[in-house]
Amino acid sequence: EKAVITTANEHDRGQLEIMVDDKECMYVFDRGYLDYERFDRMTDDGYFFLSRLRKNAVIREVYDFKLPEDSAVLSDQMVLIGTTQNRAENYFRLLKVLDSKGNELHLITNRFDLNAEEISEMYKSRWAIELFFKWIKQHLSIKKFYGQSEWAIQNQVFIALIVFCLHVLVQLETNSKRKTLKISRYLRAALWKPAHIWLRKIEGKAIP
């Protein structure tokens, strides 16, 4: 729904103030945005978040929530986080889970109305963002800028992002098993041909 382009010397953390503007959302972010003061502010202002907590973070356990016997979540607790010099004022929820490689992750959230499995799945879904940026770095290379101003460069980057999103929409609409890179290559090959040729290639159908 939203993207913000910044220069390389600007930390992503500063963009939270711009990106967090919908109280109906659940904001999921990694440890790069870890900030106890911001956690308090988001909670006090009515915004929901889910993030990773560093394993060496100082926590004080307040309550242990009971987990189902077959739960993949290791523990589910209400906690206070931080030291006396740097601590959050609100109570938060700490979940310990294992990732696909068996590493233990500590997830921190201000959401108490969902079950532990739902919160764990929410954080796993964040991996799609990592895959998106990996795809950009590997395949969305801009070999030539058509303008030198900041706005011209940003426009070109946004156009590239829009093209990627359109490829994904085509993939979904056609129920295609083709990867987005393959779909992009088919488009380049059929750029000046009728659209149905491109669509049939995406759908894996023979072209008469």
Side-chain angles (χ1 to χ4, degrees):
E1 290 188 357
K2 187 185 295 184
V4 178
I5 298 176
T6 62
T7 56
N9 61 359
E10 185 175 344
H11 198 284
D12 293 347
R13 191 183 300 168
Q15 297 308 311
L16 273 184
E17 304 298 337
I18 298 172
M19 302 292 280
V20 176
D21 60 0
D22 188 347
K23 294 182 180 180
E24 299 296 320
C25 288
M26 176 75 156
Y27 290 94
V28 185
F29 41 86
D30 65 13
R31 289 177 299 179
Y33 296 89
L34 198 62
D35 186 327
Y36 294 169
E37 184 181 343
R38 183 172 278 110
F39 288 174
D40 270 332
R41 192 159 61 248
M42 288 180 70
T43 302
D44 293 341
D45 292 342
Y47 295 101
F48 294 114
F49 74 87
L50 171 60
S51 185
R52 274 182 69 185
L53 195 65
R54 295 187 180 91
K55 289 184 180 180
N56 62 354
V58 177
I59 64 168
R60 182 157 65 89
E61 299 168 9
V62 177
Y63 185 80
D64 273 299
F65 296 107
K66 189 174 181 180
L67 290 167
E69 291 184 4
D70 60 345
S71 176
V73 177
L74 302 178
S75 67
D76 183 7
Q77 302 171 317
M78 179 189 292
V79 299
L80 290 167
I81 57 174
T83 63
T84 53
Q85 292 79 24
N86 178 29
R87 68 181 179 188
E89 299 299 326
N90 288 282
Y91 290 98
F92 295 110
R93 188 176 180 183
L94 176 68
L95 286 83
K96 295 178 182 178
V97 301
L98 296 177
D99 66 10
S100 58
K101 296 181 180 179
N103 300 312
E104 186 176 295
L105 305 180
H106 295 185
L107 307 182
I108 193 77
T109 182
N110 59 354
R111 195 95 185 240
F112 288 88
D113 58 320
L114 302 175
N115 66 50
E117 295 288 349
E118 288 175 315
I119 292 176
S120 177
E121 287 301 316
M122 278 186 177
Y123 194 82
K124 287 180 183 177
S125 67
R126 196 197 142 271
W127 184 245
I129 300 171
E130 300 293 344
L131 295 177
F132 172 58
F133 281 110
K134 182 180 179 181
W135 192 94
I136 288 176
K137 291 173 183 176
Q138 289 179 337
H139 307 300
L140 215 61
S141 57
I142 298 175
K143 297 179 181 178
K144 178 182 178 182
F145 284 108
Y146 295 98
Q148 299 300 317
S149 70
E150 180 180 346
W151 282 112
I153 293 172
Q154 287 202 18
N155 284 340
Q156 192 168 343
V157 173
F158 275 119
I159 288 169
L161 294 176
I162 290 168
V163 170
F164 172 83
C165 292
L166 290 174
H167 279 62
V168 173
L169 287 174
V170 169
Q171 185 184 44
L172 294 173
E173 289 293 325
T174 58
N175 295 315
S176 176
K177 295 181 180 179
R178 310 287 191 190
K179 293 184 178 180
T180 48
L181 180 60
K182 182 71 75 174
I183 292 173
S184 176
R185 286 172 176 168
Y186 285 154
L187 176 61
R188 280 198 287 265
L191 197 56
W192 307 110
K193 297 177 182 178
H196 74 270
I197 294 178
W198 179 47
L199 291 174
R200 289 182 73 87
K201 289 283 283 184
I202 293 171
E203 293 167 350
K205 297 177 181 178
I207 300 175

